[in-house]
Amino acid sequence: MKRFRFTIGNKVLGGFLILITIFAANAIYSILTIRHNGSIIRENTEVIDPSVAKLSDLNHLVSRSKMLVTNWVYMYRNLQDQQKLDSLQRNEYPVLKKELDALSLKWEDQKQQEEMKAIFTQLDAIFTVQQNEIMANLRTFEDYEDSMVKFMAEEALSSQILPEMGNLQKKLESLIQAKLQEKETATIVQMTSFETLGNTTIVLGIVVIVLGFIIALIITRTITGPVTYMKDVVYKLSNGILPEDNTRKFSNDEIGEMAVALEKLVVGLRSTSGFAENIGKGNYTANFQPLSQEDVLGNSLIEMRDNLQKVAEEDSRRNWATEGLARFGEILRKSNDNIGSLSDTILSNLVKYVGANQGGLYIVNDENPQDPYLEMAACYAWDKKKYVEQKVYPGDGLTGQAWLEKETIYLTDIPDDYISITSGLGEANPTSILIVPLKLNDEVYGLLELASFNTYADYQVEFVEKIAESIASTLSSAKVNERTQRLLEDSQQLTEQMRAQEEEMRQNMEELQATQEEMERSQQDRKEKENIINSTNLLFELNEHLKISLVNATTVQVLGYQESELQKMAFNNLVISSEALNQARKTVDEGHTWNGILTLKAKNGGEVVVKASAGKTRDMYANTHKYLIFAANITSVVHKHEHS
């Protein structure tokens, strides 16, 4: 794309355009300010003011609800307040909720919207408690005379409804204050914007005057400045001096283009000089860009750099391989008496030396010549849980295939599910896998597997193959020595084990006899405790449909039924209050233990009051659940209390 030339004439025209732009910007800013203030006024009128009013109405509604529900509990036959509370929940609250929902959608603060939803959710829950615990239970004179019902209603009022409503009113008051603060802030912003508009208009007038003077001064300097700079540069070049880096910006007119071209020449000469200096210091990785394709000096320097770099890399590879062979040869000489120690040491050093990220060393286990397999002798940063106990047979996967073919396998296209390199920050697939057989005289003693995020060069693969041959030679000798030592140790251990087993068998017989005696005492003690519980408490076992499947003798004696009459009888036929039974079943089905008072019907028509505990358990034989109820007969205590 052709560069635009900012000529002297264009500069003059640009100066006038800048002044016109300033005036236009001032006009646009004024219009935007007026529109912005209009939107603030609409926001206050249509959203904030109605929201504050409706939130206040909701706060008043909550206060009325507190008063009415309190009157419902403590003032019997106050029908007018009861009707008001019912109308408040059925008519007033839904209308007010709908209006506030519509207004909250226009609120800019997402947190306030969520808080409004939370308030409605909390208030809905409070009304539900009022309806279920008070309005539904306290309807008739008998309900108010029932001390238990009255107590439960008062408890719900004092412990749930009133505290929750007090907390709700605090949230509403906080939300009202937040909306009032928004209105005040918006008013301040509106007044500030008008003041800013007036000040901006005054400042822009001053800026136009100052800017006109500056533009005239700049146009003059853009002509004389580059001419002076070019004179100094040409003088230094004529004396063989490269000028220092210049951060000066030049204008884009005819004179400025001449100065830029001269600066480019100086930069190119400085870059060529620095590149030649880096080559002389042995830095063959230095970057250099010739001035053009026809830059004879620059292209010659690049060719010389490439040739010297190639020679240096070959020397570095030879030194790396020679040093590595000497290092691992020393390791193999020092640790050849134990295969496990040798495997760990050689693998750890090899992974670090070749720059791998994971490694595994497999050794052929041929104790059973008919069933040889590879077992992992050492690993480095490997997924041990998955692979340490793994057996690899000939032809199994890449490792088994390398064993079978006795050849090196090098892959750079790794399947996603083959293996992953894991660290504390995550895991990723390796870039390359190198599998090298530990081969000596065409016999494989094991395999070496390396995984890396980097790829391996040919000289690195060749180095690992040489190390693998040295490891195979050492393993050949170490396996023979270790096998001989193991046989000797096994023989000694077998003798000691036979002696220890005789003593252990004698001790086990004594412990077994003592354990059997203790179990007999524990079983007798458990039976005595169960007999005490069964003789003092009623026991019901119910199936999942609440039908009686089992009772104890105390239950038969207290209720006066035969055991056969109670079995398969629906338990609710024995319970006088179905509401208490339903509450107990709901609590137990939620995974809790229920404790409460039940009144049962005896066969003779009398009532038996029991203090019961109910729970739910699993029937392993029927593959379903069942209910267990333990109950203590407190009829005499209740009658004594009533008479007193």
Side-chain angles (χ1 to χ4, degrees):
M1 183 176 178
K2 187 176 179 181
R3 186 181 179 187
F4 175 72
R5 295 183 63 197
F6 201 53
T7 63
I8 304 300
N10 290 335
K11 292 180 180 180
V12 175
L13 178 61
F16 283 104
L17 288 177
I18 290 173
L19 297 177
I20 295 172
T21 302
I22 292 174
F23 284 113
N26 183 45
I28 294 172
Y29 176 72
S30 300
I31 294 172
L32 292 177
T33 301
I34 294 172
R35 289 183 177 178
H36 176 66
N37 290 336
S39 66
I40 292 175
I41 295 173
R42 286 194 299 273
E43 175 75 13
N44 288 338
T45 304
E46 298 175 3
V47 179
I48 296 179
D49 289 341
S51 297
V52 172
K54 295 302 178 182
L55 287 171
S56 299
D57 291 344
L58 181 61
N59 192 16
H60 180 62
L61 184 144
V62 173
S63 298
R64 289 170 53 209
S65 177
K66 288 170 61 177
M67 178 190 70
L68 293 174
V69 74
T70 302
N71 292 344
W72 191 305
V73 173
Y74 293 103
M75 300 177 64
Y76 170 63
R77 297 194 61 82
N78 190 348
L79 298 179
Q80 184 177 3
D81 284 352
Q82 293 180 358
Q83 291 174 355
K84 287 181 180 180
L85 180 60
D86 187 68
S87 175
L88 181 146
Q89 294 183 359
R90 295 179 181 274
N91 301 323
E92 296 180 34
Y93 172 64
V95 172
L96 187 57
K97 180 180 179 181
K98 182 177 180 181
E99 293 174 348
L100 274 172
D101 279 337
L103 286 171
S104 66
L105 294 176
K106 300 178 183 179
W107 295 354
E108 295 180 356
D109 192 337
Q110 186 69 27
K111 184 178 180 181
Q112 291 181 357
Q113 293 182 6
E114 296 297 330
E115 187 174 355
M116 191 71 251
K117 292 179 182 179
I119 288 173
F120 281 131
T121 301
Q122 186 177 359
L123 188 54
D124 289 340
I126 292 172
F127 284 163
T128 300
V129 174
Q130 289 181 2
Q131 293 168 0
N132 294 339
E133 300 294 335
I134 296 176
M135 299 171 68
N137 293 335
L138 294 177
R139 287 287 185 181
T140 64
F141 177 76
E142 289 77 8
D143 294 337
Y144 279 87
E145 289 299 317
D146 190 330
S147 60
M148 180 58 69
V149 173
K150 185 72 178 297
F151 172 76
M152 294 300 293
E154 292 175 353
E155 179 66 18
L157 177 66
S158 62
S159 64
Q160 297 184 45
I161 296 174
L162 294 182
E164 288 292 331
M165 282 189 165
N167 183 35
L168 187 64
Q169 285 186 303
K170 291 181 180 178
K171 293 182 180 178
L172 282 171
E173 291 171 359
S174 175
L175 191 55
I176 291 171
Q177 291 301 319
K179 301 308 291 184
L180 291 174
Q181 183 65 34
E182 286 183 13
K183 181 179 179 180
E184 183 180 352
T185 302
T187 304
I188 294 173
V189 170
Q190 181 181 356
M191 296 176 62
T192 303
S193 63
F194 277 123
E195 293 178 0
T196 303
L197 178 61
N199 295 334
T200 302
T201 303
I202 296 173
V203 170
L204 284 178
I206 299 173
V207 169
V208 168
I209 297 173
V210 175
L211 194 59
F213 176 77
I214 294 175
I215 290 174
L217 182 62
I218 290 175
I219 293 174
T220 302
R221 294 188 62 183
T222 54
I223 296 174
T224 58
V227 172
T228 303
Y229 168 74
M230 288 187 291
K231 180 198 71 173
D232 294 338
V233 171
V234 171
Y235 177 77
K236 290 180 180 180
L237 289 177
S238 65
N239 290 287
I241 301 173
L242 290 177
E244 298 296 329
D245 287 340
N246 181 43
T247 58
R248 180 174 180 175
K249 300 294 182 181
F250 299 105
S251 59
N252 195 21
D253 55 15
E254 297 84 347
I255 298 176
E257 289 179 352
M258 294 171 59
V260 169
L262 185 59
E263 175 68 16
K264 182 178 179 182
L265 174 61
V266 173
V267 171
L269 292 174
R270 187 182 298 109
S271 176
T272 302
S273 174
F275 182 61
E277 184 178 354
N278 282 323
I279 293 176
K281 294 179 180 179
N283 182 12
Y284 305 122
T285 60
N287 294 323
F288 175 71
Q289 183 66 35
L291 296 177
S292 67
Q293 294 182 354
E294 291 78 20
D295 185 358
V296 177
L297 176 60
N299 291 327
S300 298
L301 288 173
I302 290 176
E303 184 178 358
M304 181 180 69
R305 186 273 311 273
D306 293 341
N307 292 332
L308 291 173
Q309 184 178 12
K310 184 177 180 180
V311 172
E313 288 178 353
E314 291 177 354
D315 288 341
S316 176
R317 291 173 182 176
R318 281 193 297 269
N319 294 335
W320 180 82
T322 302
E323 181 183 348
L325 290 173
R327 175 179 177 180
F328 287 100
E330 182 66 20
I331 293 174
L332 292 172
R333 282 192 297 272
K334 291 182 177 180
S335 306
N336 60 6
D337 56 339
N338 182 277
I339 294 179
S341 174
L342 171 65
S343 301
D344 289 332
T345 304
I346 200 72
L347 180 62
S348 174
N349 283 273
L350 182 60
V351 167
K352 296 175 183 177
Y353 196 75
V354 300
N357 299 98
Q358 282 186 347
L361 180 62
Y362 296 88
I363 295 180
V364 175
N365 188 326
D366 53 0
E367 293 181 359
N368 183 0
Q370 304 300 324
D371 186 29
Y373 60 87
L374 288 172
E375 60 182 0
M376 181 173 282
C379 60
Y380 185 91
W382 208 263
D383 189 350
K384 296 185 179 181
K385 184 180 292 184
K386 183 175 180 182
Y387 293 104
V388 167
E389 301 297 334
Q390 183 185 27
K391 294 181 180 180
V392 180
Y393 292 92
D396 286 353
L398 293 175
T399 307
Q401 192 64 29
W403 180 17
L404 186 64
E405 296 178 356
K406 302 180 181 180
E407 295 293 338
T408 298
I409 294 179
Y410 177 54
L411 296 177
T412 54
D413 186 11
I414 313 302
D416 292 338
D417 58 349
Y418 182 74
I419 195 173
S420 61
I421 298 175
T422 306
S423 72
L425 300 177
E427 61 179 25
N429 288 337
T431 302
S432 62
I433 295 291
L434 178 61
I435 305 175
V436 180
L438 308 180
K439 184 173 63 174
L440 180 66
N441 297 328
D442 205 37
E443 181 179 353
V444 176
Y445 289 89
L447 279 99
L448 186 63
E449 184 171 359
L450 301 175
S452 175
F453 286 130
N454 304 314
T455 57
Y456 294 108
D458 292 340
Y459 76 94
Q460 291 177 307
V461 175
E462 183 180 352
F463 169 76
V464 176
E465 289 176 341
K466 291 180 180 179
I467 293 297
E469 184 176 352
S470 299
I471 296 174
S473 177
T474 304
L475 286 177
S476 176
S477 301
K479 285 182 69 175
V480 172
N481 296 336
E482 189 172 286
R483 187 173 299 173
T484 302
Q485 181 66 25
R486 191 187 313 123
L487 291 174
L488 178 60
E489 292 176 354
D490 289 346
S491 176
Q492 295 174 348
Q493 289 180 0
L494 183 60
T495 302
E496 293 295 331
Q497 288 176 359
M498 291 180 64
R499 294 175 181 172
Q501 285 176 354
E502 293 180 1
E503 178 64 20
E504 185 178 357
M505 287 179 63
R506 184 185 64 78
Q507 294 177 357
N508 287 342
M509 290 298 295
E510 294 177 355
E511 292 176 359
L512 181 61
Q513 183 177 359
T515 302
Q516 186 175 3
E517 293 175 355
E518 181 63 25
M519 289 179 62
E520 290 176 354
R521 288 194 297 271
S522 298
Q523 186 174 10
Q524 181 63 29
D525 184 54
R526 180 178 60 82
K527 288 181 178 180
E528 291 176 357
K529 291 179 180 179
E530 289 180 353
N531 290 335
I532 293 173
I533 293 174
N534 286 330
S535 63
T536 57
N537 290 275
L538 286 73
L539 169 65
F540 296 90
E541 181 179 304
L542 312 179
N543 62 17
E544 59 182 347
H545 303 296
L546 295 185
K547 289 187 177 182
I548 300 173
S549 59
L550 179 67
V551 295
N552 63 354
T554 303
T555 304
V556 174
Q557 179 183 354
V558 172
L559 298 180
Y561 290 94
Q562 295 295 326
E563 184 175 354
S564 58
E565 293 177 325
L566 290 174
Q567 289 186 348
K568 301 303 181 183
M569 178 188 292
F571 187 68
N572 56 7
N573 292 337
L574 289 177
V575 180
I576 294 178
S577 174
S578 60
E579 181 180 353
L581 179 59
N582 292 335
Q583 180 63 34
R585 184 174 185 179
K586 179 181 179 182
T587 302
V588 171
D589 286 340
E590 291 175 352
H592 306 292
T593 299
W594 177 84
N595 297 292
I597 305 299
L598 292 176
T599 303
L600 307 180
K601 292 183 289 188
K603 186 175 181 180
N604 58 9
E607 295 182 355
V608 177
V609 182
V610 297
K611 183 176 182 181
S613 296
K616 186 177 180 181
T617 184
R618 188 74 181 172
D619 190 339
M620 303 303 296
Y621 298 99
N623 195 23
T624 183
H625 63 268
K626 59 184 179 180
Y627 300 93
L628 292 178
I629 301 177
F630 288 93
N633 186 0
I634 60 171
T635 305
S636 59
V637 178
V638 172
H639 289 168
K640 182 178 179 181
H641 178 73
E642 290 177 351
H643 291 313
S644 61

